[in-house]
Amino acid sequence: MSAVYINSASCISVQDTLKENFFQDLKADQSAQILKAVEPNYKEFIPPAMSRRMSKTVKMSSVASHHALKEAGIEQPDAIIVGTGMGCSQDSEKFLKNVIDNKEEFLTPTFFIQSTHNTVAGQIALGLQCHAYNFTYVNTSSSLEFSFLDAKLQINDGEADNILVGAADEQTNRTMELYCLNNTIKKEEDLPADYLHSETDGVIWGEGAAFFVLGKEKTENSYAKLKDIQIINRLDIEEVPSFIADFLAKNNVKHEDIDVVILGFSSDAASDVYYAKAMDVFQNSALLYYKHLSGEFNTASGFSIFMACHILKEQQIPGVMRINPEKKAEIRNILLYNHLAGSDHNLTLLERA
C-alpha cells in the first residue's frame, strides 16, 4: 500500500486548540461533570443568518474543516468523510420536543431534516460547492477510525488525492440529564476525578470537532504518516496484549519501536482496566493520556489524533499529558489506543512524516 499523509489538522475542543502555541495553555478540569467546547467567533466564518439555523456540531465542524483545508492549501477535496457518534442531537431533541408540545400536529420539518447524522458532511459540501464522494460513519467510538480507513483505501486505490476527514459530537441538555441518571456521567460526590487511578465508575463528558486533510503526497506541512488502523468491537482484558502485538507485527513494528503511546483513560474504573493492561506492554515508551483535557465522548479520539500530530511535528510532549517520565531523543512512532465503555476498541499507528 502507498503512504497516506496527514497534511493538516484542526480541532475545536474543551481546550483553545484553534490558537497557535496552545501546548503551553493546556489545562485539565477534573471537577466538572460536563465540559463545554471553547467555541470560536462563528461570525468570522459563517453568515449570522445561516449560523442561527445551524446546530453546534455543524458550526464547529464548518470552522474546523475550514481551518484544515486552508492549512493544507486545498480548495476542493476529492471526498468528504465525517464520523460522529451522536450526530446533530440538538436538532433531534428540538424535533422530538415539538412532536410532544404540538401533540404530533402542525410540525415544521426543519429540525427533522437537520437532525440526521449526515447533516455535517452535507453542510460542509454545500459550503464548498463540492459534489464529490460524501459519506458519514456512525460507529460510536470508532466513527473517526472508520472514516480514516475509508479515506486510506480510496487514496491507496487511486480514487482520490486529498480527502477531508473529520469527526464531531455535541452535548444536549436532555441527553446529559439521561447520562447523569444512568451514571454514564460521574456523580458529583465522586469528583474531582482521578483519571489514572479511579475507583469510581462514570466519566466527565466533553464535546468537540476535529478535521484533517489526508493526502497521497507529502507536503511541507505534513504532520504524520497514517500507517494503519485496527478496530474490534469486543475484547477480553486478557486479549489486550495479543491485540496490540498482532497489530504491531502486521505493520513490521516492534514494541520498542513505539516511542509514544496515547491511552484513553477516562476515569471510569470499570473500563480503564484495558488501558492499565496496555501500559504493561510498553515498558520503555512514553505513556500519555488525554481525556482529562478533552472529556469523554464518542469521537474523543479526534482530539488524541490531533495532539499526536502536533507531538510528531513539534517533537515535544506537553507535561500535562504524561503518565511516566520516559523521554525520547526523537519521536518517530505513536500508537493510540481508545475505546468507549469497554466497546469498540481501536488502535491507530502514526509515523513521523
Side-chain angles (χ1 to χ4, degrees), residues 199-272:
E199 296 180 358
T200 59
D201 295 341
V203 301
I204 292 175
W205 204 258
E207 62 181 352
F211 276 78
F212 312 85
V213 171
L214 269 58
K216 72 172 186 178
E217 300 292 342
K218 181 180 176 181
T219 68
E220 293 180 359
N221 294 325
S222 292
Y223 285 86
K225 186 188 294 184
L226 177 61
K227 294 283 286 182
D228 199 9
I229 292 172
Q230 183 79 28
I231 302 165
I232 188 169
N233 178 247
R234 295 289 179 183
L235 192 68
D236 290 334
I237 189 165
E238 293 80 13
E239 297 174 322
V240 170
S242 61
F243 176 55
I244 294 171
D246 292 346
F247 176 71
L248 295 180
K250 174 187 167 188
N251 289 282
N252 298 315
V253 176
K254 299 176 182 177
H255 288 78
E256 53 267 28
D257 296 330
I258 301 297
D259 303 301
V260 173
V261 181
I262 302 182
L263 302 163
F265 279 100
S266 65
S267 79
D268 177 46
S271 61
D272 279 351

Side-chain angles (χ1 to χ4, degrees), residues 2 26 36 39 113 141 175 220 232 247 256 276 307 324:
S2 59
L26 293 171
K36 298 285 187 183
E39 297 180 84
I113 294 167
S141 62
T175 302
E220 293 180 359
I232 188 169
F247 176 71
E256 53 267 28
M307 294 302 298
N324 65 354

Side-chain angles (χ1 to χ4, degrees), residues 93-108:
E93 284 193 6
K94 288 176 183 176
F95 174 73
L96 293 172
K97 187 175 186 299
N98 280 350
V99 170
I100 296 168
D101 291 347
N102 296 321
K103 296 180 173 58
E104 303 182 24
E105 296 178 340
F106 314 117
L107 298 173
T108 57

Side-chain angles (χ1 to χ4, degrees), residues 38-270:
V38 178
E39 297 180 84
N41 182 0
Y42 292 122
K43 292 179 182 178
E44 297 177 9
F45 306 94
I46 309 168
M50 289 180 63
S51 180
R52 282 194 295 271
R53 295 194 298 271
M54 289 180 172
S55 69
K56 192 174 185 178
T57 300
V58 174
K59 289 190 284 189
M60 289 192 299
S61 300
S62 297
V63 174
S65 61
H66 168 83
H67 279 281
L69 289 168
K70 185 178 179 181
E71 185 183 14
I74 302 294
E75 291 186 7
Q76 284 288 336
D78 299 318
I80 298 172
I81 308 174
V82 174
T84 181
M86 300 292 288
C88 299
S89 46
Q90 282 185 0
D91 286 321
S92 298
E93 284 193 6
K94 288 176 183 176
F95 174 73
L96 293 172
K97 187 175 186 299
N98 280 350
V99 170
I100 296 168
D101 291 347
N102 296 321
K103 296 180 173 58
E104 303 182 24
E105 296 178 340
F106 314 117
L107 298 173
T108 57
T110 308
F111 291 135
F112 176 75
I113 294 167
Q114 294 179 340
S115 70
T116 57
H117 287 70
N118 59 0
T119 300
V120 174
Q123 288 284 1
I124 293 171
L126 283 170
L128 296 172
Q129 289 297 295
C130 177
H131 303 284
Y133 177 91
N134 191 290
F135 208 84
T136 299
Y137 284 90
V138 185
N139 299 83
T140 61
S141 62
S142 295
S143 300
L144 177 59
E145 286 73 17
F146 275 106
S147 302
F148 270 129
L149 275 177
D150 187 350
K152 192 174 188 297
L153 286 169
Q154 289 200 44
I155 291 171
N156 285 332
D157 290 344
E159 295 180 13
D161 292 338
N162 295 286
I163 298 179
L164 177 67
V165 183
D169 275 299
E170 66 188 4
Q171 298 165 356
T172 57
N173 293 334
R174 183 57 179 156
T175 302
M176 294 303 101
E177 288 173 7
L178 294 172
Y179 279 1
C180 287
L181 285 172
N182 72 0
N183 297 325
T184 295
I185 291 176
K186 200 174 284 292
K187 297 175 181 177
E188 283 191 16
E189 55 263 34
D190 295 330
L191 297 174
D194 183 346
Y195 275 81
L196 297 179
H197 307 100
S198 178
E199 296 180 358
T200 59
D201 295 341
V203 301
I204 292 175
W205 204 258
E207 62 181 352
F211 276 78
F212 312 85
V213 171
L214 269 58
K216 72 172 186 178
E217 300 292 342
K218 181 180 176 181
T219 68
E220 293 180 359
N221 294 325
S222 292
Y223 285 86
K225 186 188 294 184
L226 177 61
K227 294 283 286 182
D228 199 9
I229 292 172
Q230 183 79 28
I231 302 165
I232 188 169
N233 178 247
R234 295 289 179 183
L235 192 68
D236 290 334
I237 189 165
E238 293 80 13
E239 297 174 322
V240 170
S242 61
F243 176 55
I244 294 171
D246 292 346
F247 176 71
L248 295 180
K250 174 187 167 188
N251 289 282
N252 298 315
V253 176
K254 299 176 182 177
H255 288 78
E256 53 267 28
D257 296 330
I258 301 297
D259 303 301
V260 173
V261 181
I262 302 182
L263 302 163
F265 279 100
S266 65
S267 79
D268 177 46

Side-chain angles (χ1 to χ4, degrees), residues 267-288:
S267 79
D268 177 46
S271 61
D272 279 351
V273 290
Y274 288 97
Y275 300 124
K277 192 75 171 178
M279 284 174 59
D280 297 337
V281 177
F282 297 97
Q283 300 295 325
N284 301 310
S285 302
L287 303 174
L288 313 183

